[in-house]
Amino acid sequence: MDYLPIFCQLQHKACLLVGGGEVAERKARLLLDAGAALTVNASQFNPQFRQWATEGRLTLVVGEFNADLLVGKWLAIAATDRVEVNALVYQCANQQRVFCNVVDDPKRASFIMPSIIDRSPIMVAVSSGGKAPVLARLLREKLEAMLPQHLGRLAHWGGALRQRVKQHFADPADRRRFWERLFSHHRLAQSLANNDAALAAQQTEELFDTPQRARGEVVLVGAGPGDAGLLTLKGLQQMQQADVVVYDRLVSDEVMALVRRDAERIFVGKRAGQHCVPQEQINRILLEQAQRGKRVVRLKGGDPFIFGRGGEELETLADGGIPFSVVPGITAASGCSAYSGIPLTHRDHAQSVRLVTGHAKADGGLDWATLAADRQTLVFYMGLTQAAEIQCQLQAHGMAATTPVALVENGTSCRQRVIEGELAQLALLAQQAASPSLIIVGSVVSLRSKLNWFASHSAAPDLAKMA
Ligand code: SAH
């Protein structure tokens, strides 16, 4: 180990910063955040330093550095743009046993400053010991994305309960279980993020009241259309905390690879040659798993509230008294639109967009007259098998046979394929496409020739061959 990571308590402790420029300003900000009693020495200062001095937040010493400035200091930072001055500060600090950091020169430093992720009181520090700062920064960005913003509030909340928890649970194992449940309590975290202290207190009381009988919960998470990069941070966090993940065919392998390794996976989709698991059975699985105290993530392709039957599953849970929450996802229409270069609205083409199910027959059919109207974009989900009907009805209700259409197959994944043509060809084009595919109808489709950026396979229809 080249450096020992420690966290210093600097409140009201005298520290010296040498330098008055931009880099020094960044360091000053950190030291002030940590509550240091800061003296800054330089021959010239940025306006921000003068401002801080006027506000009484630090003391400025104008002029050349001298070793006396280090007397009584806990630590020093040399952040001038003159190598010889930085070296002198370091040398004098060493003589006086004052910890000293020299900016951008880890060899001349008795301490280095890590990249930090600040969720006070939770602090994560990353350092490469000066060997690979860019790698450390990339790691920091990853951690930054993984750690929810409300972590700090949760830690404060837990901190205030420590004494009570000690008294309440005699058994250390019960105490540990309580803390684990508190810190992974998704809805409590949300209440704290919302500043809803009353609800957070109620949720905390529930945890105290039912310490042994762990009650499960279900989080309905939208997994997006395929590309794992389109998951939300919240969705990812939930997937990494799950005991059980219930998923179906539309959730990509790439997304499933991000599920916590130890989580149980229950597939409820249609396998080749077999039928889907009936909806009632899925509802029952969710209910039973949660009743066993499991933290269940119900992963659904796209957004769970758009043609995802998410609502139906939650109704069963609500009836069963199981707590639940919902994390939205990017729906196929958004994903396919972006990755095929077809904006769903555009001032010159469409003032509205309609998300339509191709399976509407059983629900009483669609209002084709309004669907065939001008200046809108239609996006059909589950439309492949109904493509002939869609084509026929739209044309019968006055939509031009030449209206551009696109079928986006496996949208946003590396297997994405886009088939373009005109409304009059829709039924034939659909025969070339595989599931899952989305059908986009409207003049916005013509923008793709200019806006396509994603390297997908564009398939020109070979209608002659098919005729
Ligand atoms: N809840 C999902 C939709 C489920 S309905 C969502 O919000 O996206 C299933 C239909 O969604 C499929 O028949 C297909 O029309 C569409 N779909 C889902 N994922 C898709 C993808 N990656 N590419 C194209 N269409 C997709």
Side-chain angles (χ1 to χ4, degrees), residues 6-15 34-36 74-75:
I6 55 173
F7 292 89
C8 303
Q9 206 277 53
L10 286 185
Q11 294 281 338
H12 312 301
K13 293 199 170 68
C15 297
W74 289 75
L75 60 80

Side-chain angles (χ1 to χ4, degrees), residues 275-334:
H275 285 297
C276 290
V277 177
Q279 189 61 50
E280 300 76 53
Q281 196 177 330
I282 299 176
N283 298 351
R284 207 166 51 237
I285 291 171
L286 296 177
L287 192 66
E288 283 171 5
Q289 291 290 338
Q291 279 165 343
R292 276 183 219 160
K294 301 282 173 120
R295 195 180 168 81
V296 185
V297 164
R298 170 64 169 126
L299 255 191
K300 280 184 168 289
D303 181 274
F305 278 2
I306 296 184
F307 305 129
R309 298 198 174 179
E312 295 171 38
E313 292 176 9
L314 295 188
E315 280 176 66
T316 314
L317 298 172
D319 294 343
I322 299 291
F324 58 82
S325 53
V326 186
V327 181
I330 292 196
T331 189
S334 284

Side-chain angles (χ1 to χ4, degrees), residues 234-297:
K234 242 184 179 171
L236 180 62
Q237 283 152 9
Q238 291 304 326
M239 286 161 58
Q240 290 179 347
Q241 289 172 12
D243 296 318
V244 181
V245 175
V246 181
Y247 68 106
D248 47 46
R249 191 178 55 91
L250 279 179
V251 180
S252 70
D253 295 345
E254 215 186 312
V255 168
M256 284 307 292
L258 299 173
V259 165
R260 189 171 74 92
R261 211 166 288 175
D262 297 336
E264 182 187 348
R265 291 146 197 251
I266 302 179
F267 180 75
V268 292
K270 191 152 86 178
R271 294 216 191 269
Q274 290 173 14
H275 285 297
C276 290
V277 177
Q279 189 61 50
E280 300 76 53
Q281 196 177 330
I282 299 176
N283 298 351
R284 207 166 51 237
I285 291 171
L286 296 177
L287 192 66
E288 283 171 5
Q289 291 290 338
Q291 279 165 343
R292 276 183 219 160
K294 301 282 173 120
R295 195 180 168 81
V296 185
V297 164

Side-chain angles (χ1 to χ4, degrees), residues 81-114:
D81 51 8
R82 287 162 59 199
V83 181
E84 69 283 2
V85 175
N86 290 347
L88 179 64
V89 176
Y90 174 65
Q91 193 193 340
C92 297
N94 259 7
Q95 279 165 4
Q96 298 189 34
R97 304 279 193 274
V98 174
F99 272 111
C100 180
N101 173 251
V102 179
V103 168
D104 286 339
D105 191 356
K107 278 189 234 87
R108 281 228 174 82
S110 49
F111 79 92
I112 53 174
M113 298 182 76

